Every structure is written in structure tokens, then in C-alpha cells.
Amino acid sequence: MIYSFSNSGFRDPETGVYNQTYFMEIFHREWHRHIREKQSLALLYLCPHLDETVKQPHLLELLIKEVQEAMMRTTDLVARFNLDNFALGLFNIDRRGTQTVIKRIESKINNFNLHYQKNHSAQIDYEIAANVCQPTSEIDIESLFEETNLLCHQLEQQKSSHSAIGQFDLH
């Protein structure tokens, strides 16, 4: 297989999804397009928890491939944000559409866990935090990322649900 240098700068080498820098560039561009076209978008954080004692090569790559299949639209964007967390950008989507995507992702993760548990005693736990937003020039894009991160941390502490959707706006 010939290595492609054209993709090397904006892909995460372990999972093959986009890296944080590329994601932020595209998300910023889409943010301004959505302002012009008065469309809403969603930012999701996916935080899978991998058991360090059962660390398997390519486990994260296999999991994220399932997540990508659940997204279905080619305009949606997945990126690795740090060691084990991912950001997903869903464009031209409302709250109901975001809920549908989250349900598909949860279904894929649940099926992945069923297959994974056949060979291992553990399963992968996770949180999915989402904020739906109609961008305006008055909304600070960084605040959307901060609020989504905060929502993800709240989910992790509550342990009562895997996912939550917020509505992000000025108020």
C-alpha cells in the first residue's frame, strides 16, 4: 500500500478520522456559511471510556468506524480531539435530526459492545453531549465548544444517561 502524504497532515494516524486542527478549520467555515444561510448545526462530543487494562490495538479505530457509519451524511464531520475524545459536526440539522443521529450512534455502539463482549468481559462506556445552534454573528463559536464540553462532563458525573442535547443560543 502506498502512503498518501496528501492526507497525512489532517488525519489522526491511529483512527484515520480528521484531527482537531482540520475539524476546527472546517467547523469555522461552516459556522459562517450557516450564519449567511440561517441554518442550524450541531456540535457533538463523543467520549468513549476504554478500560486501560483491556487496551486492544485498533479498538478505538474499530469503534469510531461504527460511529462514522451511523452518521450517514457525507457532509458530517468526525475528528479526534484528544487521546480518547471525538468531536462531530452535523451541518444543516435541527434538534430532531440530531436526536436521530445520536440514536443511530448509540445503536452502533451497543452492537459493537455486544460483539466486543463475546471475547472480553468488559464493554465500552461512553457519553455523547450535543448542542444544536443556529449561528449568528452575536454568538461566540468558542462558547459552543465550551458548553458542549461542560455538558459532556455533567453526563460523565451523573452516570444516569449516555447522551444529552442542549440548545445553544445567546440566552
Side-chain angles (χ1 to χ4, degrees):
M1 183 169 133
I2 298 174
Y3 182 75
S4 171
F5 287 100
S6 63
N7 291 336
S8 64
F10 55 88
R11 295 264 184 202
D12 173 62
E14 183 182 357
T15 61
V17 298
Y18 296 115
N19 63 27
Q20 182 176 359
T21 303
Y22 185 78
F23 181 88
M24 295 302 286
E25 182 179 318
I26 298 302
F27 198 88
H28 189 263
R29 184 180 68 209
E30 288 296 316
W31 179 268
H32 289 286
R33 184 177 70 81
H34 282 65
I35 289 173
R36 286 191 309 275
E37 297 179 6
K38 296 181 178 18
Q39 297 173 333
S40 58
L41 54 78
L43 174 66
L44 285 71
Y45 279 178
L46 170 62
C47 305
H49 303 284
L50 303 177
D51 185 355
E52 292 299 318
T53 61
V54 187
K55 198 77 165 181
Q56 243 189 300
H58 306 290
L59 180 62
L60 199 53
E61 178 184 12
L62 295 171
L63 175 67
I64 210 64
K65 281 186 191 294
E66 293 292 320
V67 170
Q68 285 178 302
E69 286 180 14
M71 293 174 60
M72 299 175 110
R73 300 183 318 170
T74 58
T75 57
D76 296 337
L77 194 62
V78 181
R80 190 169 189 177
F81 253 43
N82 56 34
L83 189 59
D84 291 324
N85 295 331
F86 297 85
L88 293 76
L90 309 178
F91 305 110
N92 193 17
I93 196 165
D94 59 10
R95 184 180 183 90
R96 190 167 149 198
T98 303
Q99 287 172 326
T100 300
V101 172
I102 288 174
K103 285 179 186 175
R104 286 197 311 254
I105 291 171
E106 288 180 323
S107 176
K108 287 284 191 177
I109 292 173
N110 290 337
N111 287 337
F112 182 85
N113 273 331
L114 286 174
H115 294 293
Y116 181 68
Q117 285 179 323
K118 289 180 181 177
N119 299 321
H120 303 86
S121 60
Q123 71 172 14
I124 297 172
D125 199 16
Y126 64 93
E127 288 88 37
I128 301 173
N131 268 308
V132 178
C133 175
Q134 182 169 340
T136 67
S137 56
E138 291 82 32
I139 298 176
D140 181 32
I141 191 172
E142 287 82 15
S143 298
L144 175 63
F145 284 85
E146 291 168 2
E147 286 295 319
T148 307
N149 189 43
L150 180 63
L151 184 58
C152 194
H153 287 299
Q154 290 171 348
L155 277 171
E156 188 176 7
Q157 291 173 351
Q158 291 173 356
K159 302 265 187 228
S160 61
S161 176
H162 285 292
S163 62
I165 300 176
Q167 185 70 35
F168 185 78
D169 56 21
L170 283 173
H171 310 293

